[in-house]
Amino acid sequence: MSTPTPLPPVPPPSGGGIDLNPTLADLLRLHVDPVFLLPMLLAAALYAWRFMQARRTPEGRARWPLWRVLSFAVGMVLLFLTTQSLAGTMTQSSMALYMARLMVLAELVPPLLVLGVPRGVRLDPRRGLGRVLNVLLDPWVALALWTAVIVFWNVPAGFNASIVTNTAASLLPALYLLSSLLVWGVVLRPLPSVQPAGIGSRGWFGLIASLPMMAVAAVWLYARDVLYTPYVNALCLWNLTPLQNQQISGWIMMLAGMPALALAFIQLMMWLIKLSEGQGMPPKPDAQPQG
């Protein structure tokens, strides 16, 4: 009798067809999301067209140095990797991975894109696009929108609803990206013609805008129970427990917000130094006449 052929090894359970131990290459595998892809391609094409036009004159080259193009390009690459990869489909399998994706969209992509805006862009704050940006880049408007996104979608009711209705996959990342673009637009002030705020007010704004995210991160770090129902019994990536996923998400959010918080303190210090230099020394009293 011939020896029976051994059966191939049974693969480990993968949580409903999802590999629970994906590599970085697996996470970055292409997965097209038209909601982000089409606007991203249009923005990149418009930027490249305007840049090529500006490079024809010395004034344009001075306004649009290559480092700004590099900043914009790196931001677009990160945006592509974050929104057009398989990692975006694993929302319910890893809260930590999901939060890392959101933090790239909120704390890395926006400042790189804002720094890519050329110098000397002139807009009329009373009409057209200038008027719209003058309203959206108002510190109070930007702060209100950013706080609403952070608070509403991170309280258990809002977060649970976004996971259950699957709006967490596209809607929430888009809101994080757009609201954070407004925040970084206020902080970095790329359009002075429609942004009259000085460095002191921008420093205070950056400090206040960082508080909601830091508060949410602290809650995740110190909570003893899993706060979000969809993750309570979820099979998590890399053999992490749901509570570990929540705590790691808190660390990710807190560390991602540190650069913006540091920039706010730097701007406040520069404002205080400028204020002290402008005040100078008090005038000396007049000398008493000698009798």
Side-chain angles (χ1 to χ4, degrees), residues 96-111 146 150 176 180 183-184 206 209-214 217-218 220-221 247-264:
L97 176 62
Y98 178 53
M99 193 51 53
R101 179 173 175 248
L102 290 181
M103 289 300 100
V104 171
L105 292 174
E107 300 298 326
L108 285 180
V109 173
W146 170 248
I150 292 294
Y176 262 78
S180 185
V183 170
W184 281 101
S210 66
L211 295 181
M213 200 166 71
M214 291 298 178
W220 289 349
L221 278 174
Q247 292 170 341
I248 293 173
S249 299
W251 281 114
I252 290 172
M253 180 175 276
M254 186 166 290
L255 293 175
M258 286 297 179
L261 189 61
L263 178 59

Side-chain angles (χ1 to χ4, degrees), residues 2-237:
S2 60
T3 304
T5 305
L7 296 175
V10 178
S14 57
I18 298 177
D19 183 7
L20 295 180
N21 291 284
T23 64
L24 181 60
D26 294 330
L27 296 177
L28 296 180
R29 191 182 307 162
L30 184 63
H31 184 272
V32 176
D33 183 359
V35 174
F36 281 96
L37 183 60
L38 296 179
M40 184 168 49
L41 292 177
L42 290 174
L46 178 61
Y47 187 90
W49 175 59
R50 295 301 298 268
F51 171 71
M52 295 303 296
Q53 284 187 322
R55 296 296 291 179
R56 297 175 182 175
T57 63
E59 295 80 5
R61 289 192 291 271
R63 290 177 49 247
W64 218 323
L66 292 178
W67 70 264
R68 290 186 179 273
V69 181
L70 180 61
S71 175
F72 186 86
V74 172
M76 294 301 290
V77 169
L78 289 176
L79 180 59
F80 181 85
L81 293 176
T82 309
T83 61
Q84 307 300 313
S85 63
L86 198 62
T89 67
M90 299 182 179
T91 300
Q92 293 185 331
S93 299
S94 176
M95 181 179 174
L97 176 62
Y98 178 53
M99 193 51 53
R101 179 173 175 248
L102 290 181
M103 289 300 100
V104 171
L105 292 174
E107 300 298 326
L108 285 180
V109 173
L112 290 171
L113 297 182
V114 171
L115 288 173
V117 176
R119 291 193 299 264
V121 177
R122 296 293 179 183
L123 296 172
D124 188 346
R126 294 170 295 182
R127 63 179 65 181
L129 180 61
R131 185 174 182 178
V132 174
L133 291 176
N134 180 254
V135 173
L136 292 178
L137 294 176
D138 180 273
W140 292 110
V141 174
L143 180 62
L145 294 174
W146 170 248
T147 304
V149 171
I150 292 294
V151 172
F152 178 78
W153 261 278
N154 286 296
V155 297
F159 196 97
N160 292 343
S162 67
I163 296 293
V164 172
T165 60
N166 204 30
T167 57
S170 296
L171 177 60
L172 187 54
L175 291 175
Y176 262 78
L177 176 64
L178 295 176
S179 59
S180 185
L181 276 172
L182 297 180
V183 170
W184 281 101
V186 174
V187 172
L188 298 177
R189 195 172 174 247
L191 303 171
S193 60
V194 297
Q195 295 177 270
I199 192 169
S201 60
R202 286 185 283 142
W204 284 113
F205 170 84
L207 181 62
I208 296 172
S210 66
L211 295 181
M213 200 166 71
M214 291 298 178
V216 172
V219 171
W220 289 349
L221 278 174
Y222 295 108
R224 297 183 178 181
D225 301 309
V226 179
L227 301 177
Y228 305 111
T229 304
Y231 289 113
V232 171
N233 297 313
L235 291 174
C236 302
L237 301 183

